[in-house]
Amino acid sequence: MDYDHNKALLLELQRAAGTGNDRCADCGDPDPEWASYKLGIFICLNCSGIHRNLPEISRVKSLRLDFWESNLIEFMRNRGNLWAKAEYEAKVPPYYYIPKSHDCLVLRQQWIRAKYERGEFLDTGVCHDPCSAGSREGCLWKLGKGRRQFQKRQFFLSAREGVMKYYSKEEIVEWFNAIRAARYHYLRTTFPNVPEPELIPRITRNFVKEGYMEKTGPKQKEAFKVRWFCLDSQERNLLYFKNPLDAFAQGQVFIGRRDEGYEVRDDLPQKVWVKKKKKPVITLVTPVREFVFICENDKKQREWMEALNGVITQP
């Protein structure tokens, strides 16, 4: 009786309006089915795996599969995602990249650690000085397991917690946000009158789709060549590179709206013939010309067409 009753109360709390509990507290994924009963937040399956590796600060349970005691239900009722956001995200810098559910593990992992483990965004009213007594963060070389070789690690010393921790992947996230901070400072200085919500999306590009396709030239008779494509929905550009890590694109295609003559088709233009008949194709129609691409398989074709149509239909 208590099991079913408490589960119903918990699910009702997860759906309650004005609580923020209907989306993961860490990545924003809808309908989270896990929760940290130590922090009082509702989280998705992927983020729950990260929390599970932080037992000193977070303990997780499934909303549907685990038994919830009445005192835990009351604790969750008194906390919740909006409460946690106000508490743990009180002073997130405007340039700081807040990861979404589709972002890589290291970004989500370090976001969660920064919030709950290190308390980097708490509104303590204290100016944090990395060189203050009892607190230090930086790189050291540590002898690895088996005493075979030294490895570079990011260390964090906290007198308040009485611990010295080290991480192997945190440094790349710090560099990422440091670059975003520098870019934010440049934009803020260069465009002082532009509102901040308009500057933030321009700090770094967010490609909605990336991957390999083959393309031909403007005459549509040239040989198809494999290129790495990146779709930038913000700038409405499809960029292509010879290699994924190239600094500069070989070219780009602007993608306007459907009412401006832009369209995506899953067939070839008239009088265009390709040797690889078995592979699916995409024709991107623009007012200037038609661009022809060959995809690796049907799944990739559907993904690219959906992404391109998403840009064409956006305002």
Side-chain angles (χ1 to χ4, degrees):
M1 180 68 71
D2 285 344
Y3 177 87
D4 293 334
H5 177 67
N6 285 359
K7 184 169 76 170
L9 289 176
L10 192 64
L11 292 174
E12 181 181 341
L13 185 59
Q14 187 261 350
R15 295 188 293 265
T19 62
N21 297 338
D22 59 337
R23 288 187 172 273
C24 175
D26 296 323
C27 73
D29 211 32
D31 303 318
E33 297 209 344
W34 289 76
S36 168
Y37 60 88
K38 199 168 182 179
L39 293 169
I41 57 175
F42 292 82
I43 53 180
C44 69
L45 175 63
N46 289 332
C47 288
S48 73
I50 300 173
H51 280 259
R52 199 181 297 277
N53 291 324
L54 305 171
E56 289 142 3
I57 62 169
S58 184
R59 297 290 177 90
V60 299
K61 281 188 177 187
S62 167
L63 304 187
R64 298 181 182 275
L65 303 178
D66 293 322
F67 174 70
W68 285 78
E69 295 82 354
S70 297
N71 64 314
L72 292 184
I73 300 289
E74 190 61 26
F75 179 76
M76 298 296 296
R77 190 188 308 279
N78 293 330
R79 296 293 184 98
N81 289 6
L82 283 187
W83 176 91
K85 184 177 181 66
E87 177 76 7
Y88 294 104
E89 300 179 31
K91 289 191 174 180
V92 179
Y95 59 81
Y96 196 96
Y97 181 76
I98 300 177
K100 306 295 187 295
S101 58
H102 60 267
D103 284 316
C104 65
L105 174 63
V106 66
L107 278 174
R108 290 185 288 112
Q109 183 185 64
Q110 295 307 321
W111 166 240
I112 290 170
R113 285 184 177 274
K115 281 204 296 183
Y116 309 117
E117 187 176 51
R118 301 194 295 275
E120 291 183 7
F121 315 124
L122 294 173
D123 187 9
T124 59
V126 179
C127 180
H128 294 286
D129 178 4
C131 296
S132 61
S135 177
R136 182 74 181 177
E137 190 169 3
C139 289
L140 293 173
W141 290 85
K142 172 185 174 294
L143 188 61
K145 293 181 179 179
R147 304 181 68 84
R148 294 182 178 179
Q149 60 181 355
F150 280 88
Q151 296 174 324
K152 193 176 183 180
R153 292 291 182 259
Q154 182 79 5
F155 279 81
F156 176 75
L157 173 65
S158 172
R160 179 175 59 85
E161 298 179 27
V163 295
M164 183 173 180
K165 308 171 186 177
Y166 65 91
Y167 309 96
S168 58
K169 297 180 179 179
E170 182 187 82
E171 189 174 359
I172 191 171
V173 178
E174 291 190 349
W175 272 107
F176 175 63
N177 279 303
I179 294 170
R180 284 178 61 87
R183 174 70 174 167
Y184 171 77
H185 176 72
Y186 165 77
L187 292 172
R188 184 80 282 172
T189 304
T190 308
F191 307 103
N193 298 323
V194 176
E196 190 169 90
E198 295 181 24
L199 288 182
I200 301 303
R202 297 184 177 276
I203 292 179
T204 51
R205 284 175 170 170
N206 187 17
F207 297 129
V208 295
K209 176 68 179 170
E210 295 179 274
Y212 286 107
M213 287 192 293
E214 296 179 50
K215 71 175 293 291
T216 185
K219 295 181 180 179
Q220 298 177 342
K221 295 181 180 179
E222 298 88 345
F224 280 82
K225 296 180 180 179
V226 176
R227 292 294 180 261
W228 178 262
F229 287 84
C230 299
L231 181 57
D232 184 347
S233 61
Q234 181 178 306
E235 301 294 335
R236 307 186 76 109
N237 282 325
L238 178 65
L239 301 91
Y240 55 92
F241 304 78
K242 188 174 182 180
N243 299 296
L245 297 180
D246 287 350
F248 301 101
Q250 287 193 323
Q252 62 185 37
V253 182
F254 177 78
I255 303 174
R257 300 190 305 271
R258 193 175 302 279
D259 58 9
E260 296 173 331
Y262 292 82
E263 182 187 358
V264 183
R265 300 201 306 258
D266 61 356
D267 56 9
L268 290 169
Q270 291 183 354
K271 299 182 181 180
V272 176
W273 178 85
V274 297
K275 294 181 179 179
K276 302 176 181 180
K277 292 183 178 180
K278 293 184 179 180
K279 288 198 172 184
V281 299
I282 292 176
T283 298
L284 175 60
V285 181
T286 77
V288 179
R289 57 171 279 201
E290 296 177 331
F291 295 85
V292 181
F293 310 107
I294 296 177
C295 299
E296 185 179 349
N297 52 50
D298 292 338
K299 180 175 180 292
K300 297 294 184 183
Q301 181 201 46
R302 288 194 302 271
E303 291 175 352
W304 274 110
M305 290 190 66
E306 181 180 348
L308 290 165
N309 273 316
V311 177
I312 290 174
T313 56
Q314 75 183 20

